[in-house]
Amino acid sequence: MNKWTLSDPHNQSMDLPNQGYINKVSITDVKGASMTMIEISNGSLRFTVLLERGMDIGELHLGSEKMSWDRSEDYLLHPSNVDLNESNGTGWMKGFYGAVAAIGPECFGTPGEGFTLHGTGSYSETLPESIQVTWDDQSVRIEGRVPVKNREGELIFEKRIQMSAVWGGTLLLREETVRNSSGQVQVLDDGYHIQLSGAYMSQGGRYVLPANQHELLLRDSAPAEKDPFHIPSKEEGASPIRCYQYVPGQVVGLSSFDKIAPFMSKMNLSRGLTGEMVVNTGKTYAGYVIRPLYDFPRSLIAKQIDSSLMFAIEPCRTRPNRMSQKIIDGEALFMREGETLSSCCIIGLSNSRDEIHNLENMILSAAAAT
């Protein structure tokens, strides 16, 4: 096993097997705070990891194509420059940057009752001494530890995060092990905002979901639309934000999808797998999310066109309601002090028409079965 550590002052960049590499980049946010970004390539897939932002994934590239949104760096902020309590607890939006942003772990969704919008995970700093990149003949991995504090600055959770990619592969596995370090019972209410709508979606496309249209619940009094699966082109102009929540069905065919075979042993398959995808009109590029339903049994999609294209997939444990409602509905997952819980999620990219076609058929078959 080969290893690269952040703590070695001589480590800036390093070539890896199969045309891969590691690159350490020091950046300064628009308010002058210093941040560190780790860029990793497996020879095909390239992604950046934001250390001050809970090991969020900043950007995703497939070859030369940027597959994540073209987000202004004004949002790439150090946690010290974001007040999560601002604007009635919705300050999370001020630094809303990542291609894969952590939601929770203490609250997914609605602020209030002592919680801020989407929690603090995306604004928690990784311990620099915990960061290491390792690789062997099969894959490259990055891991680190992230202490998560509540809005009062008290430690509530500790996360061990690992991301791995097979050499030359086009998907990334993100694993998280969360420990309740608060000294009392806590609700674990986590998920991800996964933003896979880069310039390749500028001419529009579609969501491919394991659910039928009548199963998608439009939230927050947003204007209704005829086809919630439709992704409009940028030429169609601005589109207001719309969020739909739903319960995804099991996608049985994914168990035979060869690209996830190296990661099957990592996943709890007791409730099966599900998958969701965004694909452009020409079906030449797609981004997809695959995960065990045991870990994230619910989903939300977020759609908007303003200065950028936001067509996101949000795997989650609960509906984005107030915490009291989650508890009443029996959705809240309580963790004892010292208890740990692991989850995983696959983020995949594709420029193969055959692969896109096959994944689309798998997912739509699940929708037809509901």
Side-chain angles (χ1 to χ4, degrees):
M1 181 73 69
N2 303 284
K3 184 167 70 173
W4 178 101
T5 61
L6 185 69
S7 57
D8 186 339
H10 301 293
N11 280 345
Q12 293 297 320
S13 61
M14 178 182 291
D15 290 333
L16 299 177
N18 302 292
Q19 299 183 327
Y21 62 83
I22 310 166
N23 191 26
K24 173 186 171 184
V25 182
S26 298
I27 55 179
T28 303
D29 76 6
V30 293
K31 296 187 178 183
S34 298
M35 300 176 68
T36 301
M37 180 171 68
I38 306 297
E39 183 180 31
I40 298 176
S41 170
N42 70 344
S44 180
L45 172 72
R46 176 163 52 96
F47 62 100
T48 59
V49 180
L50 308 175
L51 300 192
E52 285 76 16
R53 296 294 302 273
M55 293 188 72
D56 281 358
I57 298 173
E59 296 181 349
L60 280 159
H61 290 77
L62 178 59
S64 61
E65 186 74 24
K66 184 179 178 181
M67 300 290 286
S68 52
W69 62 347
D70 190 16
R71 190 62 159 161
S72 168
E73 290 192 359
D74 290 351
Y75 292 91
L76 180 52
L77 296 175
H78 189 279
S80 63
N81 289 322
V82 177
D83 179 4
L84 296 178
N85 298 299
E86 185 179 343
S87 303
N88 296 316
T90 63
W92 193 95
M93 302 294 291
K94 295 290 186 179
F96 180 21
Y97 180 82
V100 179
I103 293 178
E106 71 276 36
C107 182
F108 166 72
T110 309
E113 303 178 342
F115 297 96
T116 60
L117 175 71
H118 291 333
T120 56
S122 185
Y123 292 92
S124 298
E125 297 188 51
T126 311
L127 298 174
E129 66 272 18
S130 72
I131 287 290
Q132 62 178 21
V133 180
T134 57
W135 62 96
D136 55 24
D137 293 341
Q138 283 75 46
S139 60
V140 57
R141 293 168 292 278
I142 182 170
E143 63 179 78
R145 298 196 315 277
V146 179
V148 179
K149 300 177 182 179
N150 61 16
R151 61 194 296 181
E152 286 80 32
E154 301 165 332
L155 181 67
I156 47 174
F157 293 107
E158 293 177 274
K159 297 167 99 177
R160 179 180 178 272
I161 299 171
Q162 179 173 288
M163 289 174 278
S164 54
V166 174
W167 296 117
T170 62
L171 54 81
L172 179 68
L173 174 71
R174 182 174 174 113
E175 301 170 82
E176 292 197 6
T177 298
V178 183
R179 183 180 189 273
N180 176 2
S181 302
S182 67
Q184 58 189 332
V185 173
Q186 295 286 347
V187 172
L188 177 64
D189 192 25
D190 56 350
Y192 300 105
H193 179 100
I194 300 175
Q195 181 62 46
L196 301 175
S197 58
Y200 76 97
M201 296 295 299
S202 62
Q203 297 304 307
R206 290 191 69 75
Y207 277 93
V208 182
L209 306 177
N212 293 301
Q213 182 168 334
H214 70 271
E215 298 172 295
L216 305 184
L217 175 61
L218 181 62
R219 292 186 53 84
D220 306 321
S221 302
E225 56 183 339
K226 183 177 181 180
D227 181 3
F229 299 98
H230 173 64
I231 295 177
S233 69
K234 200 168 185 180
E235 293 176 353
E236 293 178 55
S239 174
I241 188 167
R242 293 181 174 92
C243 296
Y244 295 89
Q245 67 180 46
Y246 60 99
V247 178
Q250 180 182 354
V251 181
V252 176
L254 288 173
S255 59
S256 61
F257 182 36
D258 60 347
K259 285 196 172 181
I260 68 171
F263 307 116
M264 290 289 280
S265 64
K266 304 271 191 176
M267 296 187 281
N268 186 327
L269 303 177
S270 59
R271 298 180 189 173
L273 298 173
T274 195
E276 296 136 313
M277 182 166 66
V278 289
V279 57
N280 65 359
T281 300
K283 297 189 177 180
T284 55
Y285 282 96
Y288 56 88
V289 177
I290 296 171
R291 87 281 187 165
L293 283 166
Y294 181 88
D295 295 343
F296 301 111
R298 295 188 178 273
S299 284
L300 186 138
I301 59 172
K303 309 171 61 176
Q304 185 180 28
I305 296 179
D306 51 12
S307 59
S308 57
L309 303 172
M310 185 181 75
F311 297 103
I313 297 167
E314 296 187 1
C316 48
R317 295 188 191 273
T318 66
R319 290 173 290 180
N321 296 326
R322 292 288 181 97
M323 182 58 70
S324 58
Q325 189 65 50
K326 297 172 193 274
I327 293 171
I328 290 170
D329 293 340
E331 295 181 7
L333 176 62
F334 291 93
M335 292 182 69
R336 299 184 301 275
E337 192 279 328
E339 186 177 0
T340 61
L341 189 69
S342 296
S343 65
C344 62
C345 186
I346 290 172
I347 299 98
L349 311 172
S350 183
N351 57 4
S352 163
R353 287 180 181 270
D354 287 342
E355 181 176 280
I356 292 169
H357 175 74
N358 290 337
L359 281 171
E360 184 176 31
N361 285 343
M362 289 180 195
I363 296 170
L364 293 180
S365 293
T370 60

